[in-house]
Amino acid sequence: MKGIILFTLFAIGMTASAQRVNFGNHQLSINGDDMTWLLQTDGSQYEWVTDKYQWGNAYYDADGDIAVKTERRQEGDDLVETYVFTNTSKRKVAMKNIGIYTPFNDNYPDARTCMTSRCNVHIWPGGKAAYVNAVRMSGVGTNLGLMVTEGKITDYDVWERGSKKGMSNFRGVFALCPPDMTLKPGQSYRLTWRLFSHNGTDFDEQLLHRGGTVVRSHKYVYSLGETASVDFITSKGTKTVTKKIMKTGEQRVDYKGTHALLLGISGEQELLDKRVRFILEHQQMNNPQDPRYGAFMVYDNEGDSILTDGKGRSDLDEGRERVGLGILLAEYCRQHPDAQMQEALIRYARFVREKIQQTDYTTGSSVMRKSKNRGYNYPWVADFYFRMYLLTGNKQYALDGYATLRSLYRYFGYGFYCIDYPVTIGLKALEQAGLTFERDQLLYDFKTTADIYLKNGLDFPKFEVNYEQSIIAPAVQFLCEVYLATGEKKYLSGAEQLLPTLEALQWHQPSYHMNEIAIRHWDGYWFGKRQTYGDVYPHYWSAITAAAFHYYAKCTGKSTYQQRAEQTVQGNLSLFFEDGKATCAFVYPRLVNGEPAHYADAYANDQDWALIFYLLVNEALLSSFK
């Protein structure tokens, strides 16, 4: 039978206190602040979020009778909730797909609303040490934490996702999930969690103060033969567990009801080499009769072939984000000269110039040229051309890169928040090509754009998504690069103004999936085969944050940001497999809209951007300019 249990409240000891977590009218609050921590569950905020999803309502599948008792009590400034599942049958009852709705207000109406009344929700379903860290999207102010103190949370589900339910601007309704269980007659299972406030930087300290466990490793991706070291920290001391990595794939390190998730790989350079070789041998259209001849294409791992019919889906076409495959190969070939690869790249460059672009450098998304004029296409194609100049020394590629960016500004002006403006590489390529006028003009364009970013500040404009990590991260990166190019401190100050909002989008859960990986939650739908909305850990665009941190570290000398950047790109290596194949996204939740998830999508689509950022963060690109 299926059960849906509505929350029954037993309130104990309600007294006022500073930074106190309160609950009333189906809302959590901290010390009476005006932050809206939870979704409205009366249909007024989103018509599909109804009273079914009120905080604390429980659901499950069971083959017998289960009673659920709930309690809420105040302990000092904290709010403590207990859920008791009891078998009232006269025989064993198996329970599965258990969840408790926790409708945190993580969604994106617009940047201004996000800055004042929305939170980024970081979930760690770590068993006895599970927690939720709900951080204001502004990155400034008091935040909300939830930690398990009795029982376990081992998964989480996401509900109410869909193309007619907020699309990319609604992260969904969360539910925290105890493990499947079998209860004897009269037996109960207790789950208790504690809600508390924190200032962001002291979250781990607050966990330890309340008797929790903090799990840490200095990295989460290890090469074969390395010895991993994981610290399990409590207020009483630290237990260090070591594990020698003897095989590739996921490695779980357990200790007293919680764990860390590590990834074993053959080696970082080895994985990169395998992936590049696979692209070269399997993902280029080599049929001269096909109008896409020379293009790099989506690969279907289940069909073991390139995808030649995307059924009209623009997220599967031969242009747009797929340009990243060409950028990766161009950079790799420059570092590892290979005649076959260079020939393939020249063929690809011809395809881009003749089939994706028009004579005046208007840049489309496919050979059909029927889609809208999309601003994101331009910097990617320009980036590719600049790298082709550095690879071949052919000045025409540098001119093509310049002309592509000038076309971008002609169509979209100076206020577009592009991903991957090729600031450093573009200026260097033009300089090395002796194109001084073009370099100076491009620097003027970049400065003019950066000045608009400074004026906008945290009031980010809407683009394909109302508010997202891949608006903020490229802006931080761009401002840092313009600062490095000009030495004008106002650009660094502008980047620092945006930095808290960027940092608020990620946390350091002890898992290669999540550690320093920014929240993304629609890319499995837009770029995947199964088209599942829901949290994606990792998704390659999370690596833009790594680029932003990397450049910020170069600007300031703050090495912690470089270390965080390295963690991000290492986690994204999990998108690539030992046979050279790849996945565009790992959809993380246990269930999305009741359907099984927690899978790597079958399409190798646009994930190779993660390797471009990997090379950047590891200085493979910048060292060549010295």
Side-chain angles (χ1 to χ4, degrees):
M1 67 178 66
K2 291 184 178 290
I4 298 178
I5 305 298
L6 303 183
F7 195 98
T8 305
L9 175 62
F10 298 83
I12 301 175
M14 307 291 280
T15 58
S17 177
Q19 304 304 308
R20 176 191 178 105
V21 179
N22 299 295
F23 190 93
N25 297 321
H26 305 296
Q27 273 296 326
L28 288 165
S29 63
I30 298 175
N31 200 29
D33 65 12
D34 58 359
M35 172 69 177
T36 309
W37 290 103
L38 303 183
L39 289 161
Q40 301 293 333
T41 53
D42 59 0
S44 60
Q45 185 175 351
Y46 295 101
E47 61 182 350
W48 54 86
V49 182
T50 61
D51 59 2
K52 171 184 177 180
Y53 297 109
Q54 287 180 8
W55 179 276
N57 286 357
Y59 60 89
Y60 56 83
D61 295 331
D63 59 1
D65 295 328
I66 296 293
V68 180
K69 178 183 177 182
T70 61
E71 178 184 283
R72 181 183 294 131
R73 64 184 184 275
Q74 202 81 38
E75 288 189 4
D77 294 335
D78 296 354
L79 198 64
V80 179
E81 297 180 347
T82 298
Y83 301 81
V84 184
F85 299 84
T86 302
N87 177 7
T88 58
S89 302
K90 295 182 179 180
R91 58 181 180 82
K92 291 182 180 180
V93 173
M95 296 179 65
K96 64 180 181 179
N97 296 331
I98 310 167
I100 300 169
Y101 292 119
T102 52
F104 290 102
N105 203 8
D106 190 337
N107 50 85
Y108 316 123
D110 55 74
R112 290 187 179 182
T113 304
C114 290
M115 290 301 102
T116 58
S117 56
R118 296 293 184 271
C119 58
N120 295 313
V121 178
H122 304 288
I123 302 173
W124 171 233
K128 289 184 176 181
Y131 62 72
V132 176
N133 183 9
V135 181
R136 292 172 184 264
M137 289 189 183
S138 66
V140 179
T142 305
N143 305 298
L144 183 65
L146 179 156
M147 62 179 290
V148 169
T149 58
E150 181 181 14
K152 295 181 179 180
I153 292 296
T154 55
D155 285 294
Y156 71 97
D157 296 341
V158 174
W159 298 89
E160 297 298 336
R161 293 307 312 273
S163 59
K164 296 183 179 179
K165 294 180 178 180
M167 298 182 71
S168 304
N169 298 306
F170 178 69
R171 194 173 166 196
V173 179
F174 301 110
L176 303 181
C177 304
D180 294 347
M181 64 187 72
T182 298
L183 298 177
K184 298 176 182 179
Q187 184 181 6
S188 296
Y189 181 86
R190 292 174 58 88
L191 173 67
T192 301
W193 61 49
R194 179 180 291 266
L195 291 145
F196 59 94
S197 65
H198 66 95
N199 65 23
T201 59
D202 68 340
F203 180 79
D204 288 351
E205 179 184 339
Q206 297 293 343
L207 290 180
L208 295 175
H209 176 69
R210 290 166 173 78
T213 300
V214 173
V215 185
R216 292 178 184 162
S217 181
H218 77 279
K219 64 178 183 176
Y220 294 87
V221 178
Y222 289 85
S223 298
L224 290 176
E226 288 189 293
T227 298
S229 178
V230 180
D231 293 332
F232 295 85
I233 307 164
T234 68
S235 60
K236 297 179 180 179
T238 299
K239 170 66 176 179
T240 300
V241 179
T242 60
K243 180 182 180 69
K244 188 168 184 179
I245 304 302
M246 301 299 292
K247 61 181 180 178
T248 60
E250 185 169 285
Q251 317 281 307
R252 178 168 165 144
V253 179
D254 289 275
Y255 181 72
K256 290 190 174 181
T258 190
H259 62 278
L261 287 178
L262 313 178
L263 181 68
I265 61 173
S266 56
E268 294 182 19
Q269 186 63 47
E270 290 85 348
L271 204 61
L272 175 62
D273 294 344
K274 292 174 182 178
R275 177 59 188 152
V276 167
R277 187 56 51 182
F278 187 92
I279 294 170
L280 180 63
E281 295 177 355
H282 299 284
Q283 286 193 237
Q284 189 167 33
M285 170 58 75
N286 291 320
N287 178 5
Q289 305 306 313
D290 193 296
R292 298 165 294 184
Y293 176 63
F296 291 112
M297 308 281 286
V298 174
Y299 192 87
D300 183 352
N301 293 318
E302 292 175 338
D304 273 328
S305 64
I306 58 173
L307 186 69
T308 57
D309 183 6
K311 302 187 184 303
R313 285 178 54 184
S314 61
D315 55 333
L316 304 177
D317 62 25
E318 61 278 4
R320 294 165 56 111
E321 282 82 354
R322 269 61 63 195
V323 174
L325 281 76
I327 294 175
L328 172 63
L329 263 62
E331 181 56 34
Y332 182 92
C333 190
R334 193 165 67 86
Q335 299 176 35
H336 306 85
D338 182 292
Q340 179 190 6
M341 192 176 300
Q342 184 162 327
E343 180 182 347
L345 283 163
I346 291 172
R347 188 162 65 249
Y348 180 62
R350 187 179 303 117
F351 162 78
V352 171
R353 186 68 190 96
E354 296 176 359
K355 297 296 185 67
I356 294 295
Q357 292 189 305
Q358 299 178 29
T359 304
D360 66 352
Y361 291 91
T362 299
T363 302
S365 296
S366 74
V367 297
M368 300 303 292
R369 297 183 179 177
K370 292 182 178 180
S371 60
K372 70 176 183 179
N373 191 12
R374 187 175 186 240
Y376 292 106
N377 292 334
Y378 289 80
W380 301 335
V381 168
D383 189 343
F384 171 68
Y385 283 142
F386 289 136
R387 292 177 200 256
M388 285 298 290
Y389 164 73
L390 294 172
L391 171 64
T392 66
N394 184 342
K395 185 181 290 189
Q396 184 58 48
Y397 287 129
L399 289 168
D400 288 338
Y402 170 76
T404 300
L405 289 178
R406 292 299 297 158
S407 185
L408 165 70
Y409 286 118
R410 184 172 72 250
Y411 282 116
F412 296 94
Y414 291 105
F416 193 81
Y417 282 59
C418 284
I419 298 172
D420 188 43
Y421 272 116
V423 177
T424 303
I425 194 171
L427 296 175
K428 287 292 184 179
L430 293 172
E431 183 177 311
Q432 291 183 18
L435 298 170
T436 304
F437 171 82
E438 289 80 2
R439 180 201 179 278
D440 292 346
Q441 177 61 54
L442 197 57
L443 182 57
Y444 169 83
D445 293 336
F446 289 153
K447 289 180 62 177
T448 305
T449 299
D451 289 339
I452 292 177
Y453 286 12
L454 296 183
K455 181 180 179 181
N456 289 343
L458 297 174
D459 190 12
F460 301 101
K462 297 179 180 181
F463 291 104
E464 292 182 348
V465 176
N466 291 345
Y467 174 90
E468 60 169 325
Q469 171 261 351
S470 56
I471 295 175
I472 306 168
V476 173
Q477 177 185 345
F478 180 76
L479 289 169
C480 286
E481 289 193 72
V482 173
Y483 166 72
L484 290 171
T486 65
E488 296 184 36
K489 290 189 177 180
K490 65 179 181 178
Y491 299 121
L492 177 58
S493 297
E496 291 177 327
Q497 181 191 9
L498 308 184
L499 201 58
T501 66
L502 181 59
E503 293 182 276
L505 281 156
Q506 60 198 70
W507 190 241
H508 51 253
Q509 299 98 311
S511 165
Y512 69 91
H513 282 288
M514 294 176 153
N515 187 270
E516 295 292 0
I517 301 295
I519 293 170
R520 308 278 306 183
H521 54 86
W522 59 88
D523 303 282
Y525 177 84
W526 288 110
F527 298 96
K529 185 173 184 177
R530 282 175 53 180
Q531 290 197 278
T532 303
Y533 278 104
D535 292 0
V536 180
Y537 289 113
H539 181 265
Y540 71 89
W541 276 148
S542 65
I544 314 173
T545 299
F549 286 173
H550 170 75
Y551 276 112
Y552 183 65
K554 289 183 70 65
C555 292
T556 63
K558 295 181 179 179
S559 60
T560 54
Y561 284 92
Q562 175 64 21
Q563 293 165 7
R564 294 176 69 184
E566 292 170 3
Q567 292 276 28
T568 300
V569 295
Q570 285 178 350
N572 272 274
L573 293 177
S574 62
L575 296 170
F576 306 95
F577 308 137
E578 295 295 334
D579 60 1
K581 295 180 180 179
T583 176
C584 64
F586 190 95
V587 182
Y588 191 88
R590 179 186 69 172
L591 301 176
V592 176
N593 293 342
E595 296 295 323
H598 204 73
Y599 70 93
D601 195 87
Y603 280 165
N605 190 329
D606 46 352
Q607 66 291 315
D608 297 285
W609 284 95
L611 297 180
I612 298 168
F613 292 119
Y614 172 88
L615 292 174
L616 171 66
V617 166
N618 287 281
E619 292 292 332
L621 170 62
L622 297 184
S623 63
S624 66
F625 291 153
K626 296 178 181 177

